[in-house]
Amino acid sequence: MAVLNEASVKSKANLIDARGPRFSAVITTLVLAAALVTQSAALIAIQLAVFAIGAFAGPAKTPYAFLFKKFVKPRLKGEVITEDARPPQFAQSVGLIFAVVALAGSLLSIPVLFTVAVGFALFAAFLNAAFNFCLGCEIYLLGLRAVK
Amino acid sequence: MKSLTPLVVVLALAIAFGVWYTRSRGEFRRKKTVNGPKLDASVIGVELGSRVTMVQFSSAFCSPCRATKALLEDMVKTMPDVRYAHIDAESHLELVRQLDIRSTPTTLFLNAAGVEVGRAMGTPKRSQVLAAVNAIH
């Protein structure tokens, strides 16, 4: 939580294009779905790296955000809706934790740990992509209430 | 154990949850009995409205909180007997526990006495806010 709080202070009032994290969630969903079906540690390692960049440097710094800026954003019309970078950054941090657990499951040959951790990450990423689900809205306050 | 089963299970659960989530966000849920604590300006930071006060709880990792704040602030401009208060949940955890706020944004609708009549989780639509406010006398 300390890391999350530090990150939140650093990126305060940092507004980004809200469509970027949504696009990233679509790619994340596809990668996690492929990893779940193929039980691929390599795919999870790649996604772990992306989550780590998103969690520490910010959601606008990931390779997926780069793809969005380079190929998707120029083709989008309409008003740019901005959002605070902190909510998607929080979601990336939670994704990172699940990716670490999944990779540990793979390295320790505990396939059920891999499957459950990737399953949770996919659940959240898909909800974000398809329903604009806000993970921070639902779990951050509950977490705070539990620890403080 | 390469299998499609985990993928199908996760997607089915996520779709079911997502449909419920989308439908329930913003919906005004009326309390069966209006028996909560009496809130006043010393707690929520603004004087109570003469008919209704909307109290929004927000947090840092919450995208829809900004949109909700903008909507409610805009709506109270044309409703002289309704006031709006905005509270950072993180720095008011005691109040959050007392009122059992679980997610953000959560907007409480208080009556003239400062007691909660109902609440909405997520960003309500303009029509949902109007209906909620009009149902409180």
Side-chain angles (χ1 to χ4, degrees), chain B residues 6-7 11 15 21 54 65 74 97-98 103 105 124-125 135 137:
Chain B
L7 177 67
L11 290 184
I15 289 169
Y21 177 80
M54 299 188 284
C65 288
D74 181 57
R97 284 200 184 89
Q98 188 192 2
S103 63
K125 293 189 191 78
H137 302 287

Side-chain angles (χ1 to χ4, degrees), chain B residues 27-136:
Chain B
E27 178 192 27
F28 176 65
R29 289 187 198 170
R30 215 184 166 92
K31 284 182 77 173
K32 285 191 187 79
T33 47
V34 180
N35 56 0
K38 256 189 178 184
L39 305 179
D40 59 28
S42 68
V43 181
I44 62 170
V46 301
E47 291 296 329
L48 290 175
S50 61
R51 189 164 59 91
V52 178
T53 309
M54 299 188 284
V55 185
Q56 181 191 339
F57 287 83
S58 294
S59 67
F61 303 120
C62 168
S63 300
C65 288
R66 273 208 319 152
T68 307
K69 182 168 186 278
L71 172 72
L72 298 181
E73 275 179 344
D74 181 57
M75 289 188 73
V76 293
K77 282 180 197 158
T78 54
M79 300 189 284
D81 52 357
V82 180
R83 305 226 24 198
Y84 169 74
H86 187 244
I87 295 180
D88 172 37
E90 189 163 356
S91 52
H92 294 82
L93 280 180
E94 277 313 305
L95 186 61
V96 160
R97 284 200 184 89
Q98 188 192 2
L99 298 168
D100 196 24
I101 309 292
R102 294 172 193 180
S103 63
T104 53
T106 292
T107 306
L108 307 187
F109 292 77
L110 312 182
N111 61 18
V115 183
E116 179 191 346
V117 175
R119 60 179 64 187
M121 289 180 279
T123 305
K125 293 189 191 78
R126 197 169 274 269
S127 58
Q128 289 174 313
V129 177
L130 269 182
V133 165
N134 288 337
I136 300 168

Side-chain angles (χ1 to χ4, degrees), chain A residues 33 36-38 82-83 86-87 90 115 119 122-123 126-127 131 133-134 136-138 140-142 144-145 148, chain B residues 1-2 7 10 13-15 17-18 21-22 25 60-64 66 89-90 96-97 100-104:
Chain A
L36 189 61
V37 172
T38 61
T82 58
E83 72 170 338
R86 290 176 294 170
F90 176 81
T115 301
L122 174 63
F123 183 81
F126 173 81
L127 279 171
F131 296 95
F133 175 71
C134 168
C137 300
E138 304 303 321
Y140 179 60
L141 198 55
L142 286 179
L144 268 186
R145 283 177 59 167
K148 273 193 188 172
Chain B
M1 45 172 239
K2 285 183 188 178
L7 177 67
V10 168
L13 289 174
I15 289 169
F17 179 82
Y21 177 80
T22 306
R25 292 307 91 170
F61 303 120
C62 168
S63 300
R66 273 208 319 152
E90 189 163 356
V96 160
R97 284 200 184 89
D100 196 24
I101 309 292
R102 294 172 193 180
S103 63
T104 53

Side-chain angles (χ1 to χ4, degrees), chain A residues 1-10 140 144 148, chain B residues 61 90:
Chain A
M1 275 302 163
V3 174
L4 296 177
N5 284 335
E6 234 169 73
S8 75
V9 170
K10 255 187 254 168
Y140 179 60
L144 268 186
K148 273 193 188 172
Chain B
F61 303 120
E90 189 163 356

Side-chain angles (χ1 to χ4, degrees), chain A residues 29-147:
Chain A
T29 299
L30 296 177
V31 172
L32 290 173
L36 189 61
V37 172
T38 61
Q39 300 277 303
S40 163
L43 277 177
I44 284 303
I46 292 168
Q47 185 57 51
L48 188 153
V50 174
F51 278 144
I53 297 168
F56 292 105
K61 300 283 195 294
T62 67
Y64 301 167
F66 174 78
L67 290 178
F68 172 75
K69 273 175 229 157
K70 185 97 179 159
F71 300 107
V72 182
K73 194 174 166 131
R75 289 174 170 79
L76 291 176
K77 292 185 192 109
E79 192 188 349
V80 176
I81 298 161
T82 58
E83 72 170 338
D84 192 328
R86 290 176 294 170
Q89 189 159 3
F90 176 81
Q92 296 281 303
S93 310
V94 176
L96 176 61
I97 293 167
F98 281 116
V100 167
V101 173
L103 198 60
S106 191
L107 295 176
L108 300 171
S109 301
I110 313 173
V112 68
L113 188 62
F114 178 92
T115 301
V116 169
V118 177
F120 272 108
L122 174 63
F123 183 81
F126 173 81
L127 279 171
N128 189 193
F131 296 95
N132 209 11
F133 175 71
C134 168
L135 187 65
C137 300
E138 304 303 321
I139 69 165
Y140 179 60
L141 198 55
L142 286 179
L144 268 186
R145 283 177 59 167
V147 298

